[in-house]
Amino acid sequence: MSLGLILVFGVLLAPLYLVLAGWIFGEPKDTETLAIGLAFMTAIILGPIVFSFVPISFRVIIP
Amino acid sequence: MSTFGADVERLTEPLRKTSKSFYVLFGIAAVFSAIALVAYLIQLRQGLAVTGLRGWGTQGGTPWGLYIGTFIWWVGIAHGGIAISAGVRLFGTEQFLPIARIAEILTIVALPAAATNILLDIGRPDVMYQMILNWPSTVQSSPLTWDMTAIFLYFSLSATYLAITLRRDVYYCRERGTLPEMLDPVYRLLLFRYHPSENEKTEQMVWWLALGVLLLVPLLSGGVVPWLFATMGMHPGWFGASHGPAMLAESLTNAIAVVIIVAGAFRYAYGWDDIIDDEVFRGLNTLLLVLALTTLWFVLQSLVTGSFPAAPAETTSLTNALVAGEFAVPFWLSVGGLLVAVGYLAAQSLQPSLFSVKASVAVGVIVSAAIFLKKVVFVVEGLLHPTREPLASMFADGSYWPTTVEVALTVGTLAGVILAFLAITKIVPIVELGHLDDLPDPDEGDLGGDGSTDDTAADTEGVSA
């Protein structure tokens, strides 16, 4: 396994794992609020990824 | 007095009132943003040839300069915001509660500004698409990809943090009718299936988010950003394990300096002397003093080791360039700025009568400018002089000076951030209301608005539908 994979998935993403574990296993438990939080986070993660595809239009304008 | 005793109407004043100075600042920022847009179109049409950036080695230039220096500067600023807010939640530093939301917003606007500078540096914007497409392979070994990943994660956690903490405040303000009606669709989206009973779980989720964000700070400004440079052994001055902690100290110094500036601006603009009171600034000044001293301590380390006769040749050459060579002016301006700041901060700490908010803001400006110079010099210095063999024999020394286009775009990112900040103050409450002593418990239904409990519940259900 490469240094990058260990670093990104083992170290950089560790805070995300911690947050998700805290949300899911921490008290108080509230499934609906948890789901809303996860939905917000997913939307926020997907938003910039989708937006980042906008620059591809430049390739159409100037190949 | 802090926010605890403040009136809700005053705290939501920015949502309803627009002063003349707001329009003036908005106008100035819009003009500089427009200039930056023109500069970007010029760069798109003519390529990076309109910048001072050139290929390293054969073209005798540097591929990184003002844009990358500004990128690091913005990433640093992004830390102060959310870290201050997270500190309030994790360590109970409620002294900073009045500026917590302002600081969170600073993070949210600073990170896109940092990403914009990367976009400016890579030339064709569609290269960004290629970078994303190639992520599965580049993540194996590219510090730049690690950097992108960490910044993206930081932004995602910070934005989620802000969105979740806003739900209660937006609900409260919406019930009181203090939000602009034209943005109601945005508020309905934010309040998706909101119910006041979720607040207990929300607080728990925000606590974990705060912990996650704080853990990311040293991994970002003290990790992946310095690793962009510290892993490159062929560039003098870049390689080494000490850049991580040194850049983390610089970034946090810059972050606190900018938080002081922004907090001062809001206090002045809305007459919030009693809300963002002197104690907030005294606390921030103490933090800034410690961090600026730490930054200077790292500068001392590099100067002493680099000036010692037994230092490696390229390190000696680089240190000479900083101390008395081509980088002497920006380097000593940077060090001088930090020393002036430390002098004032130490003096006002020992002699409280010397404290003033205006002086604190001025010191914030000086510190941030000093760190900016230091970042740009650090980026350029490692690329100009190929002192290691075999590159030293192959390539001549390079040169770099930013062009008008680069300066316009760099100023433009700052103007864009100001525009975004001003716009956000018109959309959401910029001081957290959830901690007000006189904030009624939403579970009890009396929010001071016109609607009854049943109306409120029905309306929220309507939001969720």
Side-chain angles (χ1 to χ4, degrees):
Chain A
M1 187 177 279
S2 68
L3 172 65
L5 287 178
I6 296 169
L7 196 65
V8 169
F9 291 99
V11 180
L12 286 181
L13 290 177
L16 178 65
Y17 306 150
L18 189 70
V19 169
L20 293 177
W23 283 13
I24 294 166
F25 302 113
E27 294 290 341
K29 297 202 186 302
D30 176 349
T31 313
E32 183 175 343
T33 306
L34 170 65
I36 291 168
L38 289 173
F40 267 81
M41 186 183 276
T42 308
I44 286 166
I45 288 173
L46 288 180
I49 291 176
V50 172
F51 183 75
S52 66
F53 283 86
V54 173
I56 199 174
S57 59
F58 186 77
R59 182 162 296 191
V60 179
I61 301 167
I62 305 175
Chain B
M1 186 175 73
S2 69
T3 39
F4 293 97
D7 179 65
V8 177
E9 294 303 317
R10 284 189 63 209
L11 296 182
T12 54
E13 195 180 301
L15 289 166
R16 299 182 305 277
K17 292 184 182 172
T18 308
S19 65
K20 191 184 285 181
S21 54
F22 179 96
Y23 286 117
V24 170
L25 185 58
F26 194 91
I28 293 170
V31 167
F32 278 103
S33 297
I35 292 171
L37 187 63
V38 171
Y40 187 57
L41 289 175
I42 291 171
Q43 183 177 306
L44 277 182
R45 279 181 69 87
Q46 300 179 31
L48 288 171
V50 296
T51 69
L53 303 169
R54 297 289 181 271
W56 174 71
T58 51
Q59 289 185 328
T62 67
W64 287 358
L66 197 56
Y67 294 151
I68 298 297
T70 312
F71 155 74
I72 309 171
W73 187 70
W74 278 119
V75 171
I77 289 172
H79 288 335
I82 210 83
I84 283 199
S85 182
V88 171
R89 284 202 157 73
L90 292 180
F91 307 119
T93 51
E94 296 202 337
Q95 172 189 9
F96 297 129
L97 184 60
I99 57 166
R101 168 99 15 96
I102 294 172
E104 290 162 20
I105 294 170
L106 184 63
T107 294
I108 299 300
V109 294
L111 283 174
T116 301
N117 276 279
I118 294 288
L119 199 66
L120 299 175
D121 189 80
I122 60 178
R124 289 180 63 109
D126 48 335
V127 174
M128 184 70 89
Y129 166 72
Q130 285 295 341
M131 291 165 79
I132 293 169
L133 210 62
N134 293 326
W135 190 89
S137 59
T138 56
V139 73
Q140 312 274 345
S141 58
S142 166
L144 187 59
T145 304
W146 307 341
D147 204 41
M148 282 170 50
T149 308
I151 289 176
F152 184 62
L153 180 64
Y154 194 77
F155 178 82
S156 301
L157 292 185
S158 302
T160 306
Y161 182 99
L162 181 63
I164 290 179
T165 55
L166 270 172
R167 277 165 68 83
R168 176 172 168 158
D169 288 359
V170 166
Y171 171 76
Y172 181 66
C173 289
R174 192 163 174 262
E175 294 303 308
R176 291 174 64 102
T178 52
L179 297 174
E181 284 182 19
M182 61 183 290
L183 293 171
D184 205 50
V186 177
Y187 301 131
R188 291 170 73 90
L189 186 66
L190 188 66
L191 292 175
F192 176 71
R193 296 188 72 81
Y194 177 82
H195 195 278
S197 64
E198 77 174 36
N199 290 336
E200 196 184 352
K201 177 66 179 175
T202 299
E203 277 304 310
Q204 181 252 5
M205 289 166 70
V206 171
W207 189 92
W208 282 103
L209 272 172
L211 183 64
V213 166
L214 275 188
L215 288 174
L216 260 183
V217 169
L219 290 174
L220 187 53
S221 256
V224 289
V225 173
W227 292 337
L228 280 176
F229 310 92
T231 51
M232 300 291 134
M234 63 286 211
H235 299 295
W238 280 13
F239 190 81
S242 67
H243 289 310
M247 286 181 76
L248 179 63
E250 286 172 16
S251 294
L252 290 174
T253 306
N254 188 25
I256 299 302
V258 175
V259 168
I260 290 174
I261 297 168
V262 177
F266 274 97
R267 171 168 147 143
Y268 170 76
Y270 295 103
W272 283 351
D273 296 27
D274 54 334
I275 298 168
I276 307 176
D277 60 18
D278 287 358
E279 288 312 304
V280 172
F281 288 92
R282 286 183 198 277
L284 289 172
N285 281 355
T286 305
L287 262 177
L288 186 59
L289 174 61
V290 173
L291 290 165
L293 277 172
T294 310
T295 298
L296 283 169
W297 180 70
F298 277 111
V299 172
L300 181 69
Q301 297 290 330
S302 63
L303 285 181
V304 170
T305 54
S307 304
F308 202 71
E314 70 268 18
T315 308
T316 304
S317 152
L318 205 63
T319 307
N320 289 339
L322 286 175
V323 174
E326 59 190 308
F327 298 118
V329 173
F331 176 73
W332 287 116
L333 274 175
S334 168
V335 173
L338 288 168
L339 285 171
V340 167
V342 165
Y344 169 74
L345 294 168
Q348 60 91 45
S349 177
L350 296 169
Q351 183 58 261
S353 63
L354 293 173
F355 167 84
S356 83
V357 173
K358 280 183 184 171
S360 302
V361 170
V363 160
V365 173
I366 290 170
V367 168
S368 192
I371 298 291
F372 179 78
L373 280 176
K374 198 169 181 312
K375 300 282 190 195
V376 175
V377 166
F378 174 76
V379 169
V380 175
E381 68 180 5
L383 290 162
L384 282 181
H385 305 291
T387 47
R388 287 193 175 170
E389 296 296 348
L391 302 176
S393 305
M394 293 164 67
F395 302 125
D397 283 358
S399 64
Y400 170 74
W401 191 256
T403 63
T404 311
V405 168
E406 285 172 272
V407 173
L409 282 167
T410 301
V411 174
T413 55
L414 179 62
V417 162
I418 292 171
L419 275 184
F421 221 117
L422 290 173
I424 289 170
T425 62
K426 294 292 167 196
I427 301 173
V428 295
I430 52 167
V431 176
E432 279 200 41
L433 308 179
H435 297 267
L436 284 166
D437 271 354
D438 57 350
L439 187 73
D441 184 350
D443 286 331
E444 293 171 9
D446 180 15
L447 293 168
D450 298 332
S452 67
T453 309
D454 290 339
D455 292 341
T456 301
D459 191 35
T460 310
E461 287 305 314
V463 165
S464 66

